[in-house]
């Protein structure tokens, strides 16, 4: 470990220890007024988070980045949960201390304690239990501190593999009659290196197959960094079949850009191994090229672009992938990053009917109630989930669909934004 890196780690641990000490002292002081069993539980919970976080920091720097991603993800989660929990508690506790400080200051200047309750009201209040503002804030701190713990636990145990089928109808101008009613399934962002429940993943694939799609699209990020991550899941994902084929593309994580490789050759070989993994799965990997989808005498085009976005490396060439599709009545584009749509697809390729993307994961955290959608990722990506549409100058509607992803990365779970299998049905626009 470099000297500068060690200093950052020590500074982080020192700040974390200061916050922990502040919270721990407040919890211990307040808990004197509660039953001993509950008091011990609160103190034990706070101490467990602290010890678990410190052990996780130590293990992170004893394990190399080349070791299991899953282990490192869980260690990060323990640290992050402790930090969020203690920070939320510290905010409320600091507010409670400010209230106490304010009361003390008033009493010092006035020489008497301020009367906060009118005489008439006090007769009523004597008959009901009361709570001071500072006590309320302390109790609020305990509740706030529990929220990250409960949320993270639920997100890992339940949300990570709570697959949801979303159904979307796409009305396309010039759609040949034989393609009316065609069912397309989309998967995205599998991130096989993050999985920890093979049985649950298999259940998600079976859920997809029960939909009996005519064709399947996979829109990138099969792995986190290394092609070897998918090895244990080949026997699950190779069950994904459809009468008209399975077509796939690469996402930003598939190129190995987020790992320190021993050599350029090693990184290149990893990408070649990943391409072979797509072959082993039986998926037709499109590398800036197109395929023809046939139904009877009718044809439409499937265009597959390598990763291209405004925030990450640009590998793809849509000009190259588009060549030869000019005369097709309908063009369906697979492109991993949704920023590609506004940056290049809409202004330069108005005859591309639909772009299928993923990438954002919906941040794996947010709120979805009815038609209401919110996730912090919306402040980074204009289109971060669901169907979007814009009209071209010629009056034609272009669509973008952003899939929330099948897997997860970093945090091994999901809270509010659940893993997605999308089923599209094509129909002719009136």
């Amino acid at each position: 470990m470099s000297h500068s890196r060690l200093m950052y780690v020590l500074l982080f641990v020192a700040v974390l220890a200061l916050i922990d000490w502040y919270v721990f002292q407040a919890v211990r002081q307040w808990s004197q007024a509660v039953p001993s069993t509950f008091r011990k539980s609160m103190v034990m919970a706070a101490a467990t988070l602290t010890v678990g976080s410190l052990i996780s920091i130590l293990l992170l720097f004893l394990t190399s980045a080349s070791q299991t991603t899953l282990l490192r993800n869980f260690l990060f989660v323990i640290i992050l949960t402790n930090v969020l929990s203690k920070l939320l508690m510290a905010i409320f506790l600091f507010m409670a201390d400010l209230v106490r400080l304010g009361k003390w200051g008033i009493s010092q200047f006035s020489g008497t304690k301020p009367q906060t309750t009118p005489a008439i009201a006090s007769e009523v209040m004597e008959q009901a239990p009361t709570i001071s503002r500072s006590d309320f804030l302390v109790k609020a701190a305990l509740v706030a501190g529990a929220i990250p713990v409960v949320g993270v636990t639920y997100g890992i145990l339940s949300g990570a593999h709570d697959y949801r089928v979303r159904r979307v109808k796409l009305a396309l101008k010039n759609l040949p009659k034989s393609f009316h009613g065609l069912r397309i399934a989309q998967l995205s962002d599998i991130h096989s290196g993050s999985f920890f429940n093979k049985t649950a993943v298999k259940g998600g694939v079976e859920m997809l197959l029960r939909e009996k799609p005519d064709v399947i699209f996979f829109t990138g990020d099969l792995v986190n960094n290394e092609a070897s991550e998918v090895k244990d899941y080949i026997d699950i994902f190779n069950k994904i079949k459809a009468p008209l084929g399975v077509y796939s593309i690469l996402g930003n994580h598939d190129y190995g850009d987020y790992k320190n490789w021993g050599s350029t050759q090693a990184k290149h070989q990893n990408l070649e191994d990943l391409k072979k993994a797509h072959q082993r799965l039986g998926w037709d990997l499109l590398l800036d090229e197109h395929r023809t989808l046939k139904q009877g005498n009718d044809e439409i085009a499937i265009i597959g672009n390598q990763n291209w976005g405004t925030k990450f490396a640009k590998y793809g060439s849509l000009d190259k992938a588009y060549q030869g599709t000019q005369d097709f009545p309908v063009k369906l584009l697979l492109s991993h990053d949704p920023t590609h749509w506004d940056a290049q697809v809409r202004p330069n390729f108005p005859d591309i009917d639909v772009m299928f993307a993923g990438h954002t994961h919906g941040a794996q955290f947010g709120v979805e109630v009815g038609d209401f959608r919110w996730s912090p990722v919306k402040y980074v990506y204009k289109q971060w989930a669901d169907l979007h549409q814009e009209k071209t100058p010629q009056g034609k509607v272009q669509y973008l669909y952003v899939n929330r992803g099948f897997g997860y990365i970093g945090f091994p779970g999901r809270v509010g934004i659940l893993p997605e299998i999308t089923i599209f049905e094509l129909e002719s626009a009136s």
Side-chain angles (χ1 to χ4, degrees):
M1 186 188 301
S2 66
H3 179 72
S4 59
R5 189 182 181 192
L6 178 60
M7 291 300 296
Y8 282 123
V9 172
L10 292 176
L11 179 61
F12 174 76
V13 172
V15 172
L16 185 62
L18 183 61
I19 295 173
D20 266 284
W21 175 84
Y22 177 66
V23 170
F24 189 79
Q25 293 299 319
V27 169
R28 189 177 66 173
Q29 180 180 356
W30 179 82
S31 63
Q32 298 300 317
V34 302
S36 60
T37 303
F38 187 44
R39 178 171 66 248
K40 291 178 181 178
S41 298
M42 287 191 300
V43 174
M44 182 63 70
T48 299
L49 271 178
T50 299
V51 173
S53 181
L54 292 175
I55 292 175
S56 297
I57 293 172
L58 177 62
L59 289 176
L60 271 178
F61 290 97
L62 290 178
T63 58
S64 66
S66 62
Q67 289 177 286
T68 173
T69 302
L70 182 59
L71 172 61
R72 295 176 66 83
N73 284 349
F74 274 103
L75 294 176
F76 274 120
V77 165
I78 293 171
I79 297 168
L80 182 61
T81 302
N82 180 60
V83 171
L84 288 177
S85 181
K86 300 298 175 58
L87 275 177
L88 287 173
M89 292 180 71
I91 291 171
F92 282 94
L93 293 171
F94 184 67
M95 290 169 63
D97 284 341
L98 287 178
V99 170
R100 294 191 192 98
L101 182 61
K103 289 181 178 179
W104 178 84
I106 291 173
S107 66
Q108 292 299 308
F109 281 103
S110 66
T112 59
K113 293 184 179 180
Q115 183 176 336
T116 57
T117 308
I120 297 177
S122 65
E123 295 179 5
V124 178
M125 295 295 289
E126 286 177 359
Q127 306 301 320
T130 60
I131 180 173
S132 71
R133 186 173 300 173
S134 59
D135 281 347
F136 169 78
L137 290 171
V138 170
K139 291 177 180 178
L142 294 174
V143 173
I147 290 174
V149 179
V150 174
V152 165
T153 302
Y154 179 82
I156 294 173
L157 298 180
S158 178
H161 302 103
D162 189 7
Y163 302 106
R164 299 299 172 93
V165 175
R166 295 183 179 272
R167 305 180 191 281
V168 180
K169 289 192 176 183
L170 292 173
L172 306 182
K173 188 177 181 180
N174 302 324
L175 182 72
K177 289 184 179 180
S178 59
F179 284 95
H180 182 82
L182 184 82
R183 288 166 58 82
I184 300 171
Q186 183 193 6
L187 288 183
S188 193
D189 299 88
I190 284 175
H191 289 284
S192 51
S194 296
F195 289 141
F196 61 89
N197 188 335
K198 195 170 184 179
T199 301
V201 174
K202 182 180 178 183
V205 170
E206 291 171 348
M207 184 181 294
L208 163 65
L209 296 177
R210 283 196 293 269
E211 295 294 324
K212 301 185 184 305
D214 299 302
V215 63
I216 299 173
F217 296 158
F218 173 67
T219 48
D221 279 359
L222 182 60
V223 298
N224 296 333
N225 294 297
E226 301 179 42
S228 59
E229 295 170 16
V230 76
K231 180 180 178 181
D232 291 338
Y233 290 88
I234 292 290
D235 61 338
I236 292 179
F237 291 112
N238 65 8
K239 302 296 190 298
I240 296 178
K241 308 287 184 186
L244 298 181
V246 181
Y247 300 90
S248 60
I249 58 171
L250 299 177
N252 57 301
H253 279 269
D254 293 321
Y255 297 91
D257 288 345
Y258 312 117
K259 172 183 167 62
N260 292 322
W261 297 92
S263 65
T264 302
Q265 177 59 34
K267 182 179 179 182
H268 174 76
Q269 185 59 53
N270 180 72
L271 182 56
E272 293 304 308
D273 291 342
L274 185 67
K275 294 176 183 177
K276 291 177 182 177
H278 281 254
Q279 293 177 359
R280 291 178 62 193
L281 292 171
W283 300 357
D284 188 354
L285 179 62
L286 305 183
L287 301 168
D288 297 335
E289 50 195 329
H290 74 273
R291 298 287 186 266
T292 301
L293 204 60
K294 297 182 179 181
Q295 288 272 73
N297 295 322
D298 297 322
E299 297 179 339
I300 61 176
I302 301 174
I303 302 171
N305 205 74
Q306 293 194 69
N307 190 73
W308 198 103
T310 61
K311 304 177 189 301
F312 293 90
K314 299 176 176 64
Y315 286 97
S317 170
L318 187 50
D319 287 325
K320 178 181 176 183
Y322 177 85
Q323 286 303 312
T325 68
Q326 291 88 336
D327 296 330
F328 283 87
V330 167
K331 304 173 185 65
L332 307 178
L333 170 65
L334 312 187
S335 185
H336 180 69
D337 192 321
T339 61
H340 192 194
W341 195 54
D342 279 336
Q344 193 176 74
V345 177
R346 287 183 53 229
N348 301 335
F349 299 88
D351 59 338
I352 289 179
D353 297 86
V354 189
M355 174 175 149
F356 300 86
H359 182 61
T360 71
H361 301 207
Q364 298 169 210
F365 173 81
V367 178
E368 298 197 59
V369 180
D371 294 330
F372 176 76
R373 304 279 187 274
W374 180 86
S375 168
V377 77
K378 69 173 290 185
Y379 304 111
V380 181
Y381 289 92
K382 178 183 175 183
Q383 299 96 2
W384 59 273
D386 288 324
L387 186 66
H388 304 267
Q389 64 182 63
E390 295 287 348
K391 279 190 176 182
T392 68
Q394 296 75 29
K396 176 182 176 178
V397 177
Q398 283 186 290
Y399 293 103
L400 164 69
Y401 190 85
V402 185
N403 183 287
R404 294 161 179 78
F406 186 85
Y408 39 84
I409 189 171
F411 170 50
R414 287 174 176 261
V415 178
I417 306 294
L418 300 175
E420 174 178 354
I421 299 164
T422 320
I423 302 296
F424 302 91
E425 184 177 337
L426 302 189
E427 56 185 26
S428 300
S430 56

